[in-house]
């Protein structure tokens, strides 16, 4: 059957600002394709019990990564769903 998938991009606060504002995430176009591939794979594994192996296409990172995930500044963590 057909279904609907809803995707929400959670926001993040600046860790250096005194009164930070929630900022929308920026994704390179290449990562949107990777995201959709991973989503389809997860649906096939969880709903249809397909065995697709472990290989995933890597995400593309532009710029620098500033350390580990910080729950205090993550919208999804604060909502209890990260």
């Amino acid at each position: 059957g057909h279904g609907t998938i809803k995707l929400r991009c959670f926001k993040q606060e600046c860790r250096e600002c005194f009164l930070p504002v929630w900022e929308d995430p920026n994704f390179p176009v290449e990562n949107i394709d990777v995201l959709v591939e991973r989503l389809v794979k997860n649906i096939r594994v969880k709903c249809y019990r397909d065995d697709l192996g472990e290989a995933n296409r890597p995400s593309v990172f532009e710029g620098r990564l500033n350390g580990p995930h910080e729950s205090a500044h993550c919208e999804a963590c604060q909502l209890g769903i990260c």
Side-chain angles (χ1 to χ4, degrees), residues 14-76:
C14 175
R15 65 179 154 177
E16 296 176 8
C17 295
F18 179 69
L19 294 172
V21 178
W22 290 109
E23 296 289 337
D24 289 320
N26 293 327
F27 293 105
V29 174
E30 298 88 358
N31 282 350
I32 295 172
D33 290 339
V34 172
L35 174 77
V36 171
E37 284 179 18
R38 289 179 185 171
L39 178 62
V40 169
K41 180 179 177 181
N42 285 338
I43 291 170
R44 288 180 60 189
V45 169
K46 291 180 181 181
C47 298
Y48 300 100
R49 313 239 190 282
D50 289 346
D51 182 10
L52 303 176
E54 294 294 322
N56 276 326
R57 200 167 78 169
S59 298
V60 176
F61 295 102
E62 294 176 0
R64 62 181 200 160
L65 298 175
N66 292 335
H69 178 78
E70 294 187 30
S71 298
H73 302 286
C74 172
E75 181 184 23

